[in-house]
Amino acid sequence: MVVLLLLLLLMPLSATATAELCGNGGNYTANSTYQSNLAVLATTLASNASSSPQLFAAGSTGQSPDAVHALALCRGDFGTDTACRDCVATSFQHAQQACPNRKGAAVYYEYDDTQRPGCVVGFSGDNDFVSPANGITENSTLFQSWNSNNISGDGTASVVSADVHNLLTVTAQDAAADTARRYATTVMDSVQTLYSLAQCTPDLSAGDCLACLQRLNGMVNATTSMRLGGRIFVLRCNIRFEAFMFFDQPTRRINPSSIAPAPPGKSMITSCDEI
Ligand SMILES: *[C@@H]1O[C@H](CO)[C@@H](O)[C@H](O)[C@H]1NC(C)=O
Ligand SMILES: *[C@@H]1O[C@H](CO)[C@@H](O)[C@H](O)[C@H]1NC(C)=O
Ligand SMILES: *[C@@H]1O[C@H](CO)[C@@H](O)[C@H](O)[C@H]1NC(C)=O
Ligand SMILES: *[C@@H]1O[C@H](CO)[C@@H](O)[C@H](O)[C@H]1NC(C)=O
Ligand SMILES: *[C@@H]1O[C@H](CO)[C@@H](O)[C@H](O)[C@H]1NC(C)=O
Ligand SMILES: *[C@@H]1O[C@H](CO)[C@@H](O)[C@H](O)[C@H]1NC(C)=O
């Protein structure tokens, strides 16, 4: 019992950060103005995102060259307790551990095999990759992760691939159309039942959100569309699909035969850790 308690204390949220990407915009020095600006902004964003109906906050603090820009986004199925705030605060701590003294970093915090929602944080200095335009067209905050197992069942590969693209397209459209949180979840009965989630930072327009998500959908290629789960993140939007329900509630159930096929995906690179 004591050992179990100790283990729980030693690994609070920490075991499941999906990715920390360290920026290449330089380093700050210990105890500098930049560091204290970052600390202030991290605390403010954690509490502002948590209390915002959109579960999102973004802002800047300080003057150049010590100005810090940052954002925090909690997944759309967070409740009203302090879990969003804790996730954001923990993610900023993760960034500091994984990228010590870096002026910029992005953290994608997601749990692997539970419904528990995660969050996204990003910060930067004068090379402001947090600005909305950045994440929609650039790869500097791109991260992908794929299940190594494949979808199995009666369908041919091309059918499964088309189903996955259609599932992600419908989810992307629903997320873009959601004016409250730019967040949507879908379930589809393909050769296996598949669950998908899409989310943008809610400060994006519907059009920018859809473009951001469909760009990620286009990165799902013939090989990865057969995988039993996958995630693609940029700072401004993300998609995920799994063969299990990893979120609170599907907002829509779709039938693969009832929707028009999506355009085929293009093949793209695995990941990029330069910010
Ligand atoms: C920042 O610090 C990292 C790790 O200490 C180091 O690898 C990197 O070269 C530094 N970057 C600059 C621009 O000094
Ligand atoms: C930064 O401040 C801490 C706490 O005041 C101190 O322990 C540490 O030595 C300082 N580091 C530098 C590089 O000044
Ligand atoms: C946080 O919320 C407060 C109170 O609504 C607001 O004044 C402040 O500008 C917000 N700051 C950021 C960085 O979101
Ligand atoms: C999944 O399919 C790919 C070919 O598309 C194959 O290379 C890989 O070994 C398969 N993975 C497993 C775990 O069977
Ligand atoms: C992002 O990566 C993809 C795949 O490698 C590439 O096709 C695209 O041109 C890249 N975009 C930018 C802005 O570099
Ligand atoms: C598909 O995408 C993955 C992940 O980006 C990449 O590793 C792989 O090379 C791509 N495969 C093809 C056939 O393009």
Side-chain angles (χ1 to χ4, degrees), residues 134 136-140 142 144 215 219 266-272:
N134 209 325
I136 298 164
T137 54
E138 294 199 342
N139 296 326
S140 61
L142 175 63
Q144 303 186 43
R215 191 173 80 95
M219 295 182 193
K266 296 198 202 91
S267 64
M268 299 209 179
I269 58 162
T270 318
S271 77
C272 176

Side-chain angles (χ1 to χ4, degrees), residues 94-123:
H94 264 284
Q96 249 102 71
Q97 284 155 16
C99 313
N101 297 357
R102 289 295 177 102
K103 282 191 158 183
V107 175
Y108 303 129
Y109 205 101
E110 270 280 312
Y111 295 86
D112 286 336
D113 52 5
T114 71
Q115 292 182 330
R116 201 168 159 190
C119 60
V120 168
V121 306
F123 58 89

Side-chain angles (χ1 to χ4, degrees), residues 189-257:
D189 293 308
S190 179
V191 296
Q192 291 197 354
T193 300
L194 296 174
Y195 301 83
S196 75
L197 178 154
Q199 185 171 22
C200 299
T201 59
D203 57 344
L204 295 191
S205 67
D208 283 350
C209 175
L210 186 61
C212 189
L213 292 170
Q214 285 293 60
R215 191 173 80 95
L216 303 190
N217 190 0
M219 295 182 193
V220 182
N221 63 31
T223 307
T224 50
S225 64
M226 297 297 298
R227 296 300 178 87
L228 200 52
R231 298 171 226 191
I232 310 181
F233 289 86
V234 290
L235 192 58
R236 289 278 167 186
C237 70
N238 61 81
I239 58 175
R240 179 178 177 184
F241 69 95
E242 303 283 356
F244 67 96
M245 196 161 93
F246 59 96
F247 44 72
D248 185 27
Q249 285 281 331
T251 47
R252 186 201 286 262
R253 174 175 287 273
I254 55 173
N255 179 336
S257 61

Side-chain angles (χ1 to χ4, degrees), residues 73-87:
L73 175 68
C74 288
R75 214 172 75 182
D77 54 347
F78 263 102
T80 52
D81 57 11
T82 62
C84 169
R85 194 183 67 199
D86 294 344
C87 188

